[in-house]
Amino acid sequence: MVDLATASSGPAAHDDEGAPLVELRGVDKHFGPLHVLKQIDLTVARGEVVVIIGPSGSGKSTLCRTINRLETIDAGTITIDGRELPAEGRELARLRADVGMVFQSFNLFAHKTVLENVTLGPIKAKGVKRAAARSRAMELLDRVGVANQAEKLPAQLSGGQQQRVAVARALAMDPKVMLFDEPTSALDPEMINEVLDVMVGLARDGMTMLVVTHEMGFARRAANRVVFMDGGEIVEQADPETFFTSPSSARARDFLSKILTH
Ligand SMILES: Nc1ncnc2c1ncn2[C@@H]1O[C@H](COP(=O)(O)OP(=O)(O)OP(=O)(O)O)[C@@H](O)[C@H]1O
């Protein structure tokens, strides 16, 4: 097992500021009788890109949702940038804004334009003036390559474009960390790379990211660390090169042999 604190050996992590940006300690969760997260300890350094992989049902999405407490937990602590997230209340609402989320389904408002989808959150959450929010949103839409679609409705865009709008919307809150939960799994194959390219760009710009994905190409291009989950546990974690060429656990070897032959 690779030590959690030192597992990041990739090139882009900017962990010189010491304390981890995200820290989970002893996080435990059941859904009824199902023990879905078993004493999870995980740290993510500032600027680090961590990819979470593992078999279906291993707890990856639950872990991802737990990080901003979209899921309740039975035990443990979750700390973002040195501040522990409480279970509920105003402080939780405030700290949640530090975490941008992009889900498999794009979750855009169908009756709002692309531009409105990106401006709405910051205007409501932070009281940003409409003109400032609009200009920031246009910058972000440009960054993800869809500025020319700003006045369209989401349904007029391709799936890949809609997911890029969802990325821009998450970025509009100026999050400290971005969580991606299988962001390309609902996309047609030809649209997957356009979303992955946006994510690689964010990683290269130093965004701290936690990404649940089956796109091993993304892990190889952008991840500092791969975390392998199975049965609600973190079984193994290592830099991508080490993990893909010589995983240390039989469970990871078995998983890789299945996905790499498909
Ligand atoms: N809201 C829920 N209520 C009850 N059980 C749930 C709930 N959400 C998830 N589970 C169960 O918890 C387990 C872990 O689910 P989770 O979605 O975290 O796994 P995953 O590794 O992300 O799987 P996949 O790769 O298929 O998305 C599964 O057995 C799932 O059926």
Side-chain angles (χ1 to χ4, degrees), residues 47-49 171 175-178 202-209:
E48 191 178 19
V49 177
L171 291 171
K176 292 179 177 169
V177 54
M178 288 279 283
L202 289 178
R204 295 201 171 136
D205 288 346
M207 175 61 78
T208 308
M209 293 164 56

Side-chain angles (χ1 to χ4, degrees), residues 42-238:
L42 177 70
T43 58
V44 183
R46 211 172 287 276
E48 191 178 19
V49 177
V50 174
V51 161
I52 303 178
I53 65 171
S56 179
S58 56
K60 306 178 299 292
S61 292
T62 305
L63 177 65
C64 205
R65 291 198 303 271
T66 292
I67 289 174
N68 63 356
R69 284 189 175 268
L70 286 177
E71 291 286 2
T72 58
I73 54 176
D74 303 334
T77 59
I78 300 160
T79 308
I80 309 274
D81 206 9
R83 287 179 295 186
E84 188 179 329
L85 270 62
E88 56 190 7
R90 290 174 71 104
E91 177 72 352
L92 174 62
R94 205 169 58 75
L95 295 179
R96 261 193 188 140
D98 287 340
V99 183
M101 283 211 71
V102 177
F103 301 91
Q104 177 178 344
S105 53
F106 324 128
N107 288 350
L108 300 175
F109 294 112
H111 59 293
K112 302 279 184 194
T113 66
V114 162
L115 181 62
E116 286 165 342
N117 264 282
V118 179
T119 55
L120 270 176
I123 289 174
K124 286 204 163 158
K126 294 187 177 173
V128 174
K129 290 222 165 60
R130 190 167 294 273
R134 187 189 155 89
S135 110
R136 171 79 178 133
M138 286 307 296
E139 265 174 47
L140 291 171
L141 289 172
D142 189 44
R143 183 170 179 184
V144 300
V146 290
N148 57 347
Q149 312 290 330
E151 299 306 329
K152 290 191 177 162
L153 293 173
Q156 296 172 286
L157 272 55
S158 71
Q161 289 171 324
Q162 289 186 55
Q163 192 59 306
R164 285 186 278 154
V165 175
V167 173
R169 186 186 52 186
L171 291 171
M173 301 296 286
D174 291 326
K176 292 179 177 169
V177 54
M178 288 279 283
L179 306 184
F180 292 85
D181 188 2
E182 301 202 30
T184 57
S185 57
L187 297 177
D188 292 338
E190 66 272 18
M191 287 169 196
I192 290 176
N193 278 339
E194 64 183 45
V195 173
L196 293 179
D197 286 347
V198 166
M199 292 167 61
V200 169
L202 289 178
R204 295 201 171 136
D205 288 346
M207 175 61 78
T208 308
M209 293 164 56
L210 208 76
V211 184
V212 177
T213 184
H214 296 292
E215 294 296 331
M216 297 304 113
F218 172 79
R220 288 180 189 279
R221 282 170 77 193
N224 301 104
R225 181 162 33 125
V226 175
V227 169
F228 173 66
M229 286 189 75
D230 194 11
E233 297 171 305
I234 293 180
V235 174
E236 177 173 349
Q237 44 187 327

